[in-house]
């Protein structure tokens, strides 16, 4: 029995001596065994992941064309659509606005509704009708934008005591639309261009804050014939346009719209401009702050939709809201359809 304990002691002492003399070797062997165990579980985990189905990102958020189409379906009731290549909103061909024509009351309603815009109505007679081609540029709430519209009427001026005493124009029919184009610039830098056969050509840049005086429009109008050109140019000259502000090439008229030559709506006062522009700037800043982590407008709109539904609904309104056209209900009973 004593011999057994002696042998055990000798073996333990020998093992202890071996370990103390081969610490490095033992450490290496231990690390190797640990790596084998870790690698075993890693391979096992990878095999399990092979059976997981990962959906494409586009299945979750949709492709760009799908997202644009979805947005445009939301914008359609408001009369607008989104164009991703220039990152702008624009008016469609057959919006509800086409049913309400145009008159001076609409321009008067803009400033109190946070649309601080320069307007330039050019009125002339041609082919037995009264015509209106009007330009607009400025701040439309949360958007910097520009518009060109063409309207006509054969009716007499409307006199509604205390409400309206002027001409009401109808939006031109499809066959009377013209090809028009414009480039909108801010402090000389191009914001966007628009071109098309239309009655109301527009463009709006979301989240861009501007003073109307910072904006210029270079507009191209392809009119019907030389008689129409002459009538339009005569109206321009009567308004005060100089030779360096427009040019004529056959039936094409090019106009540089900077400072308006026409009298602006009475609602455009220094006080109104200041108050409404501070409000517009605050909304633009809020939009930029909320979406500063994103580059693409579609992503920005998704964030706004989730984080600020009220702002999202305001964005969908884009240009002139329906409240601008409330005056139509007051005068529609006095109108006769041309």
């Amino acid at each position: 029995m004593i011999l057994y304990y002696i042998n055990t002691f000798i073996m333990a002492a020998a093992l202890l001596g071996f370990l103390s003399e081969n610490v490095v070797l033992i450490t290496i062997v231990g690390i190797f065994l640990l790596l084998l165990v870790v690698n075993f579980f890693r391979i096992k985990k990878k095999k399990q992941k092979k059976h997981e189905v990962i959906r494409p990102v586009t299945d979750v958020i949709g492709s760009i064309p799908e997202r644009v189409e979805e947005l445009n379906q939301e914008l359609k009731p408001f009369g607008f659509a989104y164009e991703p290549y220039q990152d702008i909103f624009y008016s469609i061909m057959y919006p509800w606005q086409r049913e309400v024509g145009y008159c001076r009351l609409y321009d008067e309603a803009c400033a109190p509704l946070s649309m601080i815009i320069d307007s330039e109505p050019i009125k002339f007679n041609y082919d037995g009708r009264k015509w209106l081609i009007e330009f607009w540029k400025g701040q439309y709430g949360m958007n910097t934008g520009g518009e060109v519209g063409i309207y006509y009427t054969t009716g007499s001026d409307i006199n509604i005591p205390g409400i309206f005493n002027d001409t009401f124009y109808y939006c031109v029919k499809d066959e009377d639309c013209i090809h028009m184009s414009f480039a909108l610039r801010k402090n000389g830098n191009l914001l966007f261009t628009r071109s098309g056969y239309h009655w109301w050509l527009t463009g709006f840049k979301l989240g861009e804050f501007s003073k109307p005086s910072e904006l210029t429009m270079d507009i191209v109008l392809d009119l019907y014939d030389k008689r129409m050109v002459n009538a339009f140019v005569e109206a321009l000259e009567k308004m005060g346009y100089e030779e360096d502000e427009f040019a004529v090439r056959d039936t094409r008229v090019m106009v540089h719209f900077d400072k308006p030559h026409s009298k602006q709506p009475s609602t455009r006062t220094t006080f109104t401009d200041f108050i409404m522009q501070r409000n517009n700037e605050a909304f633009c800043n809020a939009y930029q702050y909320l979406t500063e982590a994103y580059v693409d407008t579609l992503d920005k709109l998704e964030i706004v939709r989730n984080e600020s539904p009220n702002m999202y609904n305001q964005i969908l309104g884009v240009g002139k809201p329906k409240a601008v056209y409330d005056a139509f209900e007051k005068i529609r009973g006095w109108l006769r359809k041309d």
Side-chain angles (χ1 to χ4, degrees), residues 58-110:
T58 53
D59 285 356
V60 180
I61 64 173
S63 65
I64 290 179
E66 289 172 342
R67 296 172 72 192
V68 170
E69 177 60 27
E70 181 181 347
L71 174 59
N72 285 343
Q73 287 302 313
E74 288 190 84
L75 289 166
K76 188 175 181 180
F78 297 90
F80 296 94
Y82 174 67
E83 195 260 89
Y85 305 104
Q86 294 191 90
D87 189 27
I88 59 172
F89 296 86
Y90 64 94
S91 54
I92 58 180
M93 189 68 169
Y94 302 103
W96 63 265
Q97 290 91 333
R98 199 169 186 181
E99 301 301 317
V100 297
Y102 214 84
C103 67
R104 185 66 173 180
L105 288 177
Y106 299 168
D107 287 339
E108 292 286 350
C110 286

Side-chain angles (χ1 to χ4, degrees), residues 266-279:
S266 60
T267 52
R268 279 288 309 277
T269 66
T270 302
F271 177 76
T272 304
D273 281 15
F274 176 79
I275 295 298
M276 294 305 172
Q277 283 291 69
R278 297 293 70 75
N279 183 60

Side-chain angles (χ1 to χ4, degrees), residues 49-273:
K49 282 189 174 182
K50 285 183 180 179
H51 299 290
E52 297 178 4
V53 177
I54 301 176
R55 297 171 61 194
V57 173
T58 53
D59 285 356
V60 180
I61 64 173
S63 65
I64 290 179
E66 289 172 342
R67 296 172 72 192
V68 170
E69 177 60 27
E70 181 181 347
L71 174 59
N72 285 343
Q73 287 302 313
E74 288 190 84
L75 289 166
K76 188 175 181 180
F78 297 90
F80 296 94
Y82 174 67
E83 195 260 89
Y85 305 104
Q86 294 191 90
D87 189 27
I88 59 172
F89 296 86
Y90 64 94
S91 54
I92 58 180
M93 189 68 169
Y94 302 103
W96 63 265
Q97 290 91 333
R98 199 169 186 181
E99 301 301 317
V100 297
Y102 214 84
C103 67
R104 185 66 173 180
L105 288 177
Y106 299 168
D107 287 339
E108 292 286 350
C110 286
L113 294 171
S114 290
M115 279 158 290
I116 306 303
I117 55 180
D118 289 339
S119 57
E120 192 80 303
I122 298 103
K123 303 175 182 179
F124 60 99
N125 295 322
Y126 163 74
D127 200 28
R129 286 173 168 157
K130 299 176 183 178
W131 292 75
L132 168 68
I133 295 180
E134 188 159 357
F135 313 143
W136 299 268
K137 63 179 176 68
Q139 192 66 27
Y140 298 73
M142 293 175 63
N143 302 272
T144 287
E147 311 170 73
V148 178
I150 179 168
Y151 313 86
Y152 55 28
T153 184
T154 57
S156 303
D157 288 356
I158 299 172
N159 185 4
I160 308 175
I163 297 178
F164 183 67
N165 184 13
D166 204 344
T167 306
F168 180 87
Y169 298 89
Y170 296 90
C171 304
V172 299
K173 298 177 181 178
D174 284 359
E175 60 269 25
D176 295 320
C177 289
I178 64 172
H179 190 275
M180 55 179 96
S181 308
F182 72 81
L184 183 68
R185 292 181 172 85
K186 179 178 179 180
N187 296 323
N189 299 313
L190 182 67
L191 288 179
F192 59 83
T193 62
R194 292 285 291 129
S195 182
Y197 184 79
H198 223 292
W199 65 275
W200 182 36
L201 193 69
T202 69
F204 304 94
K205 198 81 169 175
L206 176 61
E208 182 77 29
F209 176 75
S210 307
K211 299 175 182 177
S213 59
E214 295 177 312
L215 304 173
T216 60
M217 291 177 73
D218 289 296
I219 303 157
V220 178
L221 305 170
D222 290 329
L223 303 181
Y224 303 150
D225 52 38
K226 290 296 292 184
R227 289 190 302 111
M228 189 177 192
V229 169
N230 292 337
F232 180 72
V233 168
E234 183 180 350
L236 285 177
E237 292 174 335
K238 284 183 178 179
M239 291 177 65
Y241 274 81
E242 303 289 342
E243 290 184 356
D244 60 347
E245 293 179 287
F246 70 93
V248 178
R249 299 290 184 274
D250 195 26
T251 58
R252 173 170 291 181
V253 181
M254 293 154 279
V255 182
H256 180 69
F257 178 34
D258 187 353
K259 184 178 180 180
H261 289 274
S262 59
K263 183 179 179 181
Q264 295 303 286
S266 60
T267 52
R268 279 288 309 277
T269 66
T270 302
F271 177 76
T272 304
D273 281 15

Side-chain angles (χ1 to χ4, degrees), residues 1-17:
M1 189 69 177
I2 295 174
L3 184 61
Y4 171 78
Y5 284 115
I6 292 173
N7 289 334
T8 301
F9 177 78
I10 293 172
M11 290 178 63
L15 178 61
L16 183 62

